[in-house]
């Protein structure tokens, strides 16, 4: 008996975990599909939470984070985000060279979406952008436009692309959606 018709992976599609072991995500997705669940949503291509809730696990690759964050003993300093810490979290080479960040981010978006074509037909492209704005703080709001553009290019016109938000209150979410519309972000 099938009790659900939709599923999402909580951890294995995050940038660093996926890059380290894409097969773990693939095995989970295949298992979900093999068990008759009809829809798997990819979650998420990008999330500006750099450090997991354990205060140690990186959710973005080491080449994105600052040297300070590469040391696991320092990661608990940034488990909660505030905009003052954005520049302390991103590798200096990237802060000075947005094109390098764009190359890494584009490669990731294309890879994760392309790897899952035919199994996943909708993605949370960006996750929790109301309270977590590291890349926007460092590089500007174009990061949102580019992320969705790359996911669309990789997934095609039929791919559903979403902004995933969390937390109470409708006002902040409406404001964020308006920001995305005003920027011309290609989302569904």
């Amino acid at each position: 008996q099938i009790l659900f018709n939709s599923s999402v992976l909580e951890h294995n599609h995050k940038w660093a975990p996926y890059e380290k072991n894409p097969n773990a995500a693939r095995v989970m997705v295949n298992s979900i599909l093999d068990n008759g669940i009809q829809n798997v949503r990819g979650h998420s291509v990008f999330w500006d939470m750099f450090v997991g809730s354990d205060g140690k696990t990186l959710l973005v690759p080491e080449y994105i984070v600052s040297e300070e964050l590469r040391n696991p003993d320092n990661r608990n300093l940034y488990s909660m985000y505030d905009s003052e810490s954005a520049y302390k979290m991103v590798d200096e080479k990237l802060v000075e060279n947005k094109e390098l960040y764009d190359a890494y981010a584009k490669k990731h978006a294309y890879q994760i979406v392309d790897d899952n074509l035919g199994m996943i037909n909708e993605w949370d492209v960006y996750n929790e952008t109301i309270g977590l704005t590291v890349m926007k703080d460092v590089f500007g709001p174009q990061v949102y436009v580019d992320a969705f553009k790359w996911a669309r290019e990789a997934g095609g016109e039929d791919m559903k692309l979403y902004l995933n938000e969390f937390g109470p209150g409708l006002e902040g979410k409406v404001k964020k959606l308006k920001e995305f519309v005003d920027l011309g972000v290609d989302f569904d």
Side-chain angles (χ1 to χ4, degrees):
Q1 179 180 17
I2 297 174
L3 301 175
F4 302 96
N5 65 2
S6 189
S7 182
V8 64
L9 305 187
E10 197 283 325
H11 178 76
N12 292 85
H13 281 147
K14 304 290 192 303
W15 192 345
Y18 188 81
E19 191 170 274
K20 283 182 182 178
N21 189 358
N23 194 52
R26 204 172 354 261
V27 166
M28 291 179 82
V29 168
N30 284 331
S31 176
I32 291 166
L33 295 170
D34 289 346
N35 280 289
I37 295 176
Q38 303 163 359
N39 183 52
V40 181
R41 178 182 273 190
H43 176 81
S44 65
V45 180
F46 296 103
W47 189 27
D48 285 359
M49 176 68 80
F50 278 34
V51 180
S53 59
D54 64 0
K56 298 287 181 193
T57 304
L58 283 178
L59 300 176
V60 295
E62 282 194 3
Y63 54 81
I64 299 292
V65 301
S66 65
E67 188 156 336
E68 181 178 37
L69 273 181
R70 289 186 195 130
N71 179 345
D73 294 334
N74 294 332
R75 291 184 189 155
N76 64 345
L77 301 173
Y78 298 102
S79 59
M80 294 304 294
Y81 174 71
D82 65 74
S83 59
E84 297 294 314
S85 57
Y87 286 91
K88 296 176 188 172
M89 296 172 72
V90 178
D91 186 283
E92 287 179 21
K93 293 185 303 279
L94 299 178
V95 170
E96 297 167 5
N97 185 350
K98 183 178 182 299
E99 291 77 25
L100 181 58
Y101 170 75
D102 285 348
Y104 288 143
K106 182 177 182 178
K107 178 182 177 193
H108 168 64
Y110 270 78
Q111 184 73 49
I112 195 168
V113 173
D114 186 62
D115 282 356
N116 291 280
L117 283 176
M119 296 182 298
I120 294 177
N121 61 5
E122 58 185 49
W123 279 94
D124 293 330
V125 176
Y126 236 105
N127 191 40
E128 298 179 14
T129 62
I130 292 175
L132 295 166
T133 57
V134 177
M135 294 309 187
K136 178 185 173 191
D137 291 346
V138 173
F139 299 119
Q142 186 66 30
V143 295
Y144 300 141
V145 176
D146 292 340
F148 280 83
K149 178 182 81 168
W150 299 325
R152 177 71 69 208
E153 290 170 355
E157 289 302 314
D158 292 335
M159 180 73 61
K160 298 293 183 192
L161 305 178
Y162 300 111
L163 165 64
N164 185 60
E165 283 299 345
F166 170 78
L170 183 60
E171 187 176 321
K173 294 174 181 109
V174 170
K175 183 177 176 183
K176 181 55 72 171
L177 289 173
K178 183 173 177 359
E179 175 188 354
F180 272 42
V181 168
D182 291 347
L183 287 168
V185 174
D186 179 13
F187 68 101
D188 293 295

